[in-house]
Amino acid sequence: MSGTSVATGRSSRGWNRLRKAALVGSAFAAMALPAAAQDYPHAGEKIGTVEQIYDGAMLPDLAVSTYRNIDRLFPTRMIKAGTKPHPLPQADKQLGDVRFKYEGKDYDLYDFVALDNITAMLVLKNGKIAYETYQRGNSEKTRWMSMSVAKSISSTLAGIAIKEGLIKGLDAQVVDYVPELKGSAYDGVSVRDVLMMSSGVKWNETYTDPQSDRRALLRAQISQKPGSAVELMGKLPRAAEPGTVNTYSTGETQILGEIVHGAVKKPLADYLSEKIWQPFGMESDANWWLDSPDGVEIGGSGISATLRDYGRFGLFFLGNGVIDGKSILPDGWVKEATTPKTLKGGAKLDYGYMWWTAWTEPSIKHGSFSAIGIHGQNIYIDPVENVVIVTFGAQPKPVGKEPIDPNAFFDAVVEALKD
């Protein structure tokens, strides 16, 4: 059975049940808010459904209120912050009106924020705030959806688990940590293959196609049945030999999350809190979607955190994972994870270990890299100029609706802030 047939082999009555189940996300919004949520400034806002997010079927106001309340769409686990926030002082040199050219046209900072539907942006230079803005009612307290930015965070947790010896290196086998996948297309796949999204397992990531594997994975999440996501992944067929073909797959990151969970024997949110969120000094608690009540985190999406804490994560990674004078990442991990990889057979990728590599001339020269999520989420890191840029976006469709390539703007920001 193909991955697509897993998603589509249902009667119309069954499909109606699934659509009804999709409203589960909105049902969470209607429930009484826990006491801790009462102080959240956006807690009472109307939100849409998770299917509307992936369909790109929300008007702007509803999209914004939904994206800052995604912890009401599914059960979540808290990523607890510490008591001593990592300081983010104001930089002496503040970012002014950035002007740049893109595809032969002149643009400035205001064009980028307006045209790319940016609802918040933070620019850090040498660990200090050079620019910060909040739009559409967002504030320093707003938790915003990460979407696939979470993939880069899951990848980082895998690196920490390797450093601690809990995952036996990049060549370790998936089935050693997720035994449910023995006999599936993931049998014979390494951790490295998963990090490179090159398992060879067949996958269709099309967000807006209800028949795609990505939407099948979403329906598994909507079902909130324990183990449904990994069960779905275990039924997918092999399309190529491991390590030979790259296919962008959120399902692959779900497998990575299962690997880390199986290796560290604790929830990913707890591991993230214990290793990074508290010791590095994140200021606010964050949340992470679960596949079922008290279940496993969704490895490829579903983290909601504040703008400054995403910025702090960027600083943590820019600084090679050093906390209290010692790196918690394997030696050379940041460079290994963020540089273009080569598949078996020699094919080159513009992708690292769930980090996007640079594609504009200035960013390639600096070896810059990004964590990127649909609808306009970015953590952009320039290791040469020590710049971290975070954006929250509310673009109308998951992909393909960025009038301005954000890297063109980020290049201009880096140039403007040169010492």
Side-chain angles (χ1 to χ4, degrees), residues 372-390:
I372 300 175
I374 58 173
H375 292 285
Q377 322 320 317
N378 291 277
I379 301 177
Y380 177 86
I381 300 174
D382 184 314
V384 172
E385 291 297 327
N386 290 316
V387 170
V388 173
I389 305 171
V390 183

Side-chain angles (χ1 to χ4, degrees), residues 45-170:
E45 295 175 346
K46 179 182 177 181
I47 66 171
T49 68
V50 70
E51 281 202 335
Q52 286 176 300
I53 293 177
Y54 287 93
D55 284 335
M58 283 188 280
L59 292 173
D61 285 351
L62 183 60
V64 168
S65 60
T66 301
Y67 298 166
R68 61 193 179 203
N69 280 288
I70 66 162
D71 52 353
R72 289 161 55 190
L73 292 171
F74 292 107
T76 63
R77 184 171 285 117
M78 183 182 292
I79 305 164
K80 294 180 181 178
T83 57
K84 296 181 180 180
H86 182 99
L88 293 177
Q90 293 291 315
D92 291 335
K93 181 180 180 180
Q94 291 291 298
L95 185 69
D97 180 12
V98 177
R99 297 179 180 274
F100 62 102
K101 282 188 177 291
Y102 176 62
E103 295 186 337
K105 296 181 179 180
D106 293 323
Y107 294 97
D108 60 18
L109 181 149
Y110 307 100
D111 294 325
F112 172 71
V113 170
L115 293 174
D116 277 23
N117 287 279
I118 302 302
T119 65
M121 181 166 61
L122 176 69
V123 178
L124 301 173
K125 170 72 174 185
N126 296 325
K128 298 179 179 181
I129 298 174
Y131 186 83
E132 184 174 27
T133 187
Y134 296 93
Q135 301 294 316
R136 303 300 298 274
N138 286 340
S139 73
E140 293 177 16
K141 293 184 178 181
T142 299
R143 294 188 301 268
W144 194 263
M145 67 178 187
S146 62
M147 304 314 286
S148 290
V149 167
K151 293 178 170 65
S152 303
I153 295 175
S154 292
S155 165
T156 303
L157 294 181
I160 296 169
I162 289 173
K163 172 80 168 186
E164 294 186 329
L166 300 174
I167 295 175
K168 304 300 182 183
L170 292 170

Side-chain angles (χ1 to χ4, degrees), residues 238-370:
R238 178 167 288 172
E241 287 302 306
T244 63
V245 175
N246 170 262
T247 302
Y248 188 85
S249 167
T250 296
E252 208 91 306
T253 322
Q254 186 62 32
I255 296 301
L256 182 66
E258 296 281 355
I259 291 169
V260 175
H261 181 265
V264 304
K265 308 298 184 186
K266 65 179 64 175
L268 271 65
D270 292 353
Y271 195 55
L272 177 56
S273 174
E274 174 189 325
K275 298 301 176 182
I276 301 175
W277 226 252
Q278 293 193 40
F280 193 76
M282 305 317 188
E283 188 171 6
S284 303
D285 296 336
N287 296 301
W288 202 337
W289 279 348
L290 303 177
D291 71 345
S292 57
D294 201 32
V296 177
E297 288 77 0
I298 300 299
S301 65
I303 293 175
S304 57
T306 65
L307 185 74
R308 289 186 176 184
D309 282 345
Y310 284 123
R312 289 181 174 99
F313 179 79
L315 291 178
F316 162 81
F317 208 75
L318 173 64
N320 293 303
V322 172
I323 297 176
D324 295 330
K326 183 178 180 181
S327 177
I328 64 171
L329 293 169
D331 292 345
W333 179 265
V334 169
K335 184 175 182 179
E336 175 70 13
T338 62
T339 49
K341 304 270 82 72
T342 301
L343 294 170
K344 295 175 184 176
K348 303 286 186 180
L349 301 182
D350 295 324
Y351 199 60
Y353 294 157
M354 298 187 184
W355 287 88
W356 290 96
T357 58
W359 59 82
T360 60
E361 185 176 342
S363 61
I364 291 172
K365 184 178 179 181
H366 287 190
S368 301
F369 50 90
S370 305

